[in-house]
Amino acid sequence: MTSTTGDLPETGTVRVVDYLAGELARAGVTHVFGVGGANIEDLYDAVHRADAIRGVVAKHEFSAVTMADGCARTTRRLGVVAATSGGGAMNLLPGLAEAYASRVPVLALVGQPPTGQEGHGAFQDTSGTAGSFDALEVFTPVSRFCARVDDADSITELLPRAVAAAQAAPRGPAVLLLPKDVQQARIPVPGRGAARPASVPAATAPAARLDTDAVITVADILHRADRVLVIAGDEVAATDTRAELTELARRLGAWVAVTPDAKDVFDNSDPRFAGVAGVMGHANVEDCLRRADVCLLVGTRLPLLARGGLERALTAADVVCLGPEPPFVPGTALIGRLPDALRSVTGRLPLRPRPCPQHAGPLPTVVTSPQPHAPGRTIPYAQAVGAVRAALPHDAHVFVDAGNAGASAVHLLPAPRHGRFVLAVGMGGMGYTFGAAIGAALATGRRAYVLAGDGSFFMHGMEVHTAVEYAAPVTFVVFNNQAHAMCAVREEYLQGGVRGDDRFSRTDLAAGMAAAFPSLEVTAAEHAAHLRRALLLSNAGGGPAFVAVDCDPAEIPPFQPFQSFNEPTKGSEATDRKESSDDRGIVHVG
């Protein structure tokens, strides 16, 4: 029977939470993000005592997960979140769902009531006994590994398994449910009298060998092709294979497009860069695809957001896929670790580079506001994004939220040369960026930019408080169109414009943030030049900054399903457009 901290400490023993903190530090973890509570306070005590790890307290558990997510995406290390039982635990779910869908390695340490109270009316009981629901069954669908640590000694087995599962393909969350008494229990110091278990066994696990016949088949298809369009995805960033991608494109003389969530995986200024594929993308990608013999998917399964508008052209080209998972479209797939696949295929191609055929490049879609601009000072998306582009540091990380502002940023803003450009399309949850940028900034020490709308801000924008508390170098740029504008556009053009539920009364975000946080650098940008100056000022500072940009809710963003709304119509034709989207093949997204 193990003793708790209420007993005299046993020689050669440590608390389970101290073991956890020590092993996480050994695995390279530098931050634990979360929100405290009675059933997780012992872990926070251990993190505080462990000099190698910094505990970061968020305002909401969803944002704590996105902090861990942003940390993982920018460092390619394990992100860690910790939360208490009950409502705190349940608030983790949407963030873990995003990490699951986007293949982001996150470890969630979730407090539970003491084991002796389970089934006896414990506060926040989720043991699955005596009429309570089972947290294990709740977290399992959004995790690669989920276990309840009922016995303290089992932590030395379960923690390495959880870490390995989070980092093995397909990556994603791992969850450990930790009853309070188990956290406090003492276990023998690992390594005394026995070999110490590896914290990250996945790092030394042998990789599965590629199918040699598949390698030969793929290389032959690419070698015979006259014109190749590469569409690269986020797996390139996750495996840090940008150099391998560039070399493959060089040997093929290929055009290179990127998925909306992978804009940073290929140099946006390279002459081969064709633009962004899919519903937020560039017409040039479809043009290149129509001219190509082969469409090569690298590190993407080509989900709907990345192939919207390309379906017909895809049927006319041979599709080849390199990556750990099969694509969503028919084609020839080489399944395996992306670094291995890229090196194996590239090694079978001639060393001499081929010239890239001429193409138009990622020319932006021309957008208009079909209704009069909103009253007051509003800045068009193109001008606002242009100001961001002019001020953005080359090594900054950019986090783009959902909505009209996000679609404009994906379409118009080139990725920084040496930073991440992150769009969370796994679940597409609004407000993701506020926590993710903080996690990235604290983990890397580099400035992060949040590009979000006011709708996203009202969901999780109070994480600005966390950035202020920890002096995180984050520039929050909030495009305030006084609406859930993407929903409002859909209501106007697809449902007849009979309701205005998603239009809001005016809010002065800059004044509110300045009043709430006197130490925060706050600007209400009056025009694009003013916005650029405010951003440059934020770059020069060491902490957070907040910039509010008023935009027109009626402006149609460069979002492919909305482009027909820019076309002039008369009489009944306009009414017909509002009544049905199915006939026009509208891509339905959230």
Side-chain angles (χ1 to χ4, degrees), residues 338-500:
L338 185 59
D340 298 337
L342 280 168
R343 291 165 191 151
S344 296
V345 171
T346 303
R348 290 181 172 272
L349 298 174
L351 284 172
R352 185 176 180 179
R354 293 168 55 180
C356 177
Q358 293 292 317
H359 63 116
L363 299 176
T365 299
V366 177
V367 297
T368 61
S369 291
Q371 302 175 12
H373 277 288
R377 294 186 300 266
T378 60
I379 304 176
Y381 290 131
Q383 292 183 22
V385 174
V388 174
R389 177 178 183 176
L392 187 66
H394 66 89
D395 62 346
H397 301 301
V398 178
F399 289 84
V400 177
D401 221 300
N404 285 2
S408 299
V410 170
H411 189 80
L412 297 169
L413 181 64
R417 289 291 300 273
H418 303 292
R420 290 294 331 260
F421 189 106
V422 177
L423 176 71
V425 296
M427 289 289 104
M430 294 173 65
Y432 161 89
T433 57
F434 292 91
I438 293 170
L442 292 177
T444 66
R446 288 152 60 177
R447 181 155 293 277
Y449 267 57
V450 166
L451 305 180
D454 53 319
S456 295
F457 170 80
F458 287 129
M459 290 191 181
H460 291 285
M462 281 300 104
E463 293 302 333
V464 171
H465 178 273
T466 307
V468 171
E469 288 292 299
Y470 292 91
V474 180
T475 300
F476 300 94
V477 184
V478 178
F479 299 82
N480 186 6
N481 49 31
Q482 322 289 342
H484 283 162
M486 186 167 281
C487 295
V489 169
R490 294 181 67 87
E491 290 166 6
E492 172 67 20
Y493 290 95
L494 301 180
Q495 296 184 326
V498 296
R499 59 190 180 92

Side-chain angles (χ1 to χ4, degrees), residues 18-174:
D18 294 315
Y19 167 79
L20 281 168
E23 291 301 292
L24 292 176
R26 287 183 64 213
V29 173
T30 56
H31 294 78
V32 172
F33 305 95
V35 180
N39 286 329
I40 202 66
E41 63 189 2
D42 298 286
L43 178 62
Y44 277 98
D45 176 68
V47 167
H48 178 74
R49 295 170 185 269
D51 293 337
I53 300 180
R54 186 183 189 188
V56 177
V57 176
K59 308 288 91 61
H60 192 280
E61 290 84 2
F62 168 79
S63 290
V65 181
T66 67
M67 290 177 193
D69 178 302
C71 167
R73 294 199 203 214
T74 52
T75 65
R76 298 178 51 243
R77 297 195 302 265
L78 181 71
V80 180
V81 61
T84 192
S85 53
M90 296 302 101
N91 284 341
L92 297 172
L93 287 167
L96 294 178
E98 168 60 40
Y100 183 94
S102 292
R103 310 304 193 245
V104 180
V106 170
L107 173 65
L109 303 173
V110 185
Q112 298 287 279
T115 54
Q117 298 178 10
E118 293 175 341
H120 299 283
F123 180 58
Q124 299 179 331
D125 188 356
T126 54
S127 63
T129 60
S132 66
F133 70 87
D134 191 345
L136 195 67
E137 294 182 357
V138 172
F139 284 104
T140 294
V142 293
S143 61
R144 305 297 177 192
F145 177 87
C146 184
R148 190 189 305 273
V149 186
D150 289 320
D151 175 66
D153 292 323
S154 68
I155 192 65
T156 58
E157 173 198 353
L158 292 176
L159 177 62
R161 288 178 61 189
V163 172
Q167 297 181 317
R171 297 173 302 276

Side-chain angles (χ1 to χ4, degrees), residues 161-386:
R161 288 178 61 189
V163 172
Q167 297 181 317
R171 297 173 302 276
V175 179
L176 291 178
L177 303 174
L178 300 164
K180 184 175 178 68
D181 56 321
V182 172
Q183 295 178 53
Q184 296 174 330
R186 305 190 74 86
I187 59 175
V189 176
R192 294 201 176 193
R196 190 170 185 181
S199 296
V200 193
T204 57
R209 295 179 62 87
L210 295 172
D211 184 322
T212 302
D213 290 340
V215 172
I216 294 172
T217 298
V218 166
D220 286 347
I221 292 172
L222 294 175
H223 184 55
R224 293 195 305 266
D226 289 327
R227 292 178 176 178
V228 177
L229 170 66
V230 173
I231 301 180
D234 189 57
E235 185 70 11
V236 175
T239 56
D240 194 22
T241 47
R242 293 175 177 85
E244 290 86 345
L245 170 64
T246 300
E247 177 60 18
L248 177 61
R250 188 184 72 89
R251 294 197 191 187
L252 292 173
W255 303 297
V256 180
V258 295
T259 58
D261 59 337
K263 198 164 185 182
D264 60 298
V265 303
F266 192 79
D267 184 356
N268 292 188
S269 64
D270 191 294
R272 298 179 182 85
F273 184 61
V276 178
V279 297
M280 289 170 267
H282 302 95
N284 180 58
V285 175
E286 182 181 3
D287 181 60
C288 290
L289 180 56
R290 292 187 184 281
R291 296 166 59 194
D293 305 307
V294 174
C295 178
L296 174 60
L297 310 181
V298 178
T300 177
R301 304 177 72 190
L302 207 65
L304 180 63
L305 285 182
R307 70 176 188 270
L310 303 178
E311 288 92 342
R312 289 185 181 178
L314 280 167
T315 62
D318 288 335
V319 177
V320 176
C321 178
L322 309 182
E325 298 181 84
F328 293 118
V329 294
T332 302
L334 175 56
I335 304 300
R337 293 181 65 250
L338 185 59
D340 298 337
L342 280 168
R343 291 165 191 151
S344 296
V345 171
T346 303
R348 290 181 172 272
L349 298 174
L351 284 172
R352 185 176 180 179
R354 293 168 55 180
C356 177
Q358 293 292 317
H359 63 116
L363 299 176
T365 299
V366 177
V367 297
T368 61
S369 291
Q371 302 175 12
H373 277 288
R377 294 186 300 266
T378 60
I379 304 176
Y381 290 131
Q383 292 183 22
V385 174

